[in-house]
Amino acid sequence: MTERKSSNYNGFRVAVAPMMDWTDRHCRFFHRQLTRRALLYTEMIVADAAIHGERQRLLGFHPAEHPTALQLGGSDPHKLAEAARIGEAFGYDEINLNCGCPSDRVQSGTFGACLMKTPALVAACVAAMKRAVNVPVTVKCRIGVDEQDPEPALDTLADAVFAAGADALWVHARKAWLQGLSPKENRDIPPLDYGRVYRLKRRLPQKFIGINGGIQTVAEAKAHLGHVDGVMLGRAAYHVPAILADVDALVDADPAPVDFAALLETMAAYADAHIAAGGRLAHVTRHMVGLFHGRPGARRFRQILSTEATRPGADSAVLRRAFAAVEDERAAEAA
């Protein structure tokens, strides 16, 4: 039997969740301008796609994104091990196994949340990935699926993956209903049960347990950190990205403030480079429309990016106009 590599997981206190169609490389680069310390996750990449697909398009990322984790989907230990090796070679800081996505597409591939029904298989996948790479291997799951009792279901999965060498377990504190609810409904309708995740941490005090699901503010994240090791922000970080400017304070005693003028210059240069390589401005700016949510100029900023960034030939001048509109409204309000 191959000797299992020891853990080198540093225990990221804050992470931005993997979100399909959202946390692509442009989103992650933008988020990194707002937080130095949060762990950023890719969208889920199916193991087969990582092995056989266009790797640079699927897995490539900007060095500035570090620390960044690759989330893989799959249920074949050999394929996941190979995909993990590929991800490590690309430079990812962590490989994560998706055991929480409830979509029909994921279920048809026998992975995602349905894997909670087969903890032994999940453990085999984790063990194979651990043997394949030197970076940490982690798992993201729900508290249970369908009619499972979350008490034994989550304990059984956690014990299995940690016995297999998992470095951390991130738990979305809801059940997933694989029949009868859409993926969107599965993010809202099953009730949150943070207490279940807290109990898991109390039972496994030496293991890294992170929590995810419905966390809207940095204050809420701080409260959770009194019970678990890490907090994962999802839709709140995407729709109101400015909250990421405050998460480093959960890790650093003296965090560096975000310089929004510098952020503009960085994102403008990044957008123009992407356009020069054949991309479109909207690929970048679609992730930025909520940056000033709740602040003066937010509506105009959103309007400019939503309409002008999609036009043929749009470049960073659009982004500069959007930022200028925010400054104008701030100045008018202060006058």
Side-chain angles (χ1 to χ4, degrees):
M1 182 176 179
T2 303
E3 183 178 356
R4 182 179 299 126
K5 298 178 178 68
S6 62
S7 169
N8 61 346
Y9 195 66
N10 292 319
F12 294 99
R13 298 277 280 169
V14 183
V16 178
M19 291 176 279
M20 291 296 291
D21 300 321
W22 287 0
T23 51
D24 63 16
R25 68 183 70 186
H26 308 306
C27 176
R28 298 191 305 269
F29 184 87
F30 168 52
H31 283 175
R32 182 56 71 214
Q33 309 316 306
L34 295 163
T35 170
R36 294 179 305 155
R37 299 297 299 273
L39 176 63
L40 306 180
Y41 275 81
T42 69
E43 305 170 86
M44 183 191 69
I45 306 295
V46 177
D48 277 327
I51 296 168
H52 303 294
E54 187 181 338
R55 291 180 186 173
Q56 187 57 43
R57 179 180 62 82
L58 290 168
L59 300 173
F61 66 100
H62 195 287
E65 294 174 36
H66 287 293
T68 301
L70 169 64
Q71 187 182 68
L72 293 173
S75 59
D76 182 310
H78 300 292
K79 290 180 179 179
L80 283 165
E82 177 61 21
R85 277 191 290 268
I86 293 167
E88 182 181 45
F90 264 82
Y92 285 98
D93 301 287
E94 173 187 320
I95 309 296
N96 177 268
L97 177 61
N98 183 324
C99 294
C101 181
S103 78
D104 293 340
R105 182 174 57 178
V106 167
Q107 290 180 57
S108 67
T110 321
F111 52 91
C114 62
L115 283 176
M116 294 205 66
K117 297 180 178 180
T118 55
L121 176 58
V122 177
C125 292
V126 169
M129 295 162 74
K130 284 290 292 182
R131 290 191 294 267
V133 300
N134 290 301
V135 296
V137 172
T138 67
V139 175
K140 187 170 187 289
C141 68
R142 295 286 186 122
I143 61 174
V145 296
D146 297 336
E147 299 298 339
Q148 282 185 329
D149 181 343
E151 294 298 326
L154 184 57
D155 281 349
T156 299
L157 183 77
D159 290 346
V161 300
F162 283 126
D167 296 286
L169 182 64
W170 292 93
V171 186
H172 185 150
R174 305 180 195 268
K175 268 191 171 186
W177 288 92
L178 304 181
Q179 302 295 327
L181 293 181
S182 69
K184 182 179 185 300
E185 290 170 331
N186 261 298
R187 293 192 295 266
D188 296 303
I189 293 177
L192 286 159
D193 187 354
Y194 296 133
R196 177 64 192 96
V197 187
Y198 297 169
R199 291 193 295 277
L200 177 68
K201 177 57 190 175
R202 288 198 296 270
R203 192 175 71 83
L204 300 173
Q206 302 306 313
K207 302 299 184 182
F208 185 98
I209 305 294
I211 198 165
N212 171 228
I215 301 166
Q216 300 296 316
T217 67
V218 173
E220 290 176 26
K222 184 177 181 179
H224 285 298
L225 288 173
H227 302 274
V228 293
D229 303 298
V231 172
M232 184 175 276
L233 299 169
R235 285 171 289 166
Y238 189 85
H239 292 305
V240 192
I243 70 170
L244 294 175
D246 297 322
V247 301
D248 288 1
L250 299 176
V251 180
D252 288 332
D254 187 24
V258 173
D259 182 338
F260 281 87
L263 183 150
L264 165 61
E265 294 304 321
T266 299
M267 293 308 302
Y270 177 86
D272 282 339
H274 175 63
I275 293 165
R280 299 178 60 192
L281 178 65
H283 295 160
V284 177
T285 57
R286 74 185 185 96
H287 304 296
M288 300 178 64
V289 294
L291 178 59
F292 295 105
H293 178 83
R295 304 183 185 191
R299 183 170 178 270
R300 184 63 182 140
F301 182 82
R302 185 172 61 251
Q303 285 177 334
I304 292 172
L305 292 190
S306 298
T307 57
E308 297 185 28
T310 60
R311 294 172 182 168
D315 60 16
S316 65
V318 173
L319 189 55
R320 293 180 186 280
R321 281 197 297 277
F323 269 81
V326 172
E327 290 303 312
D328 288 346
E329 288 209 24
R330 285 181 174 176
E333 189 168 279

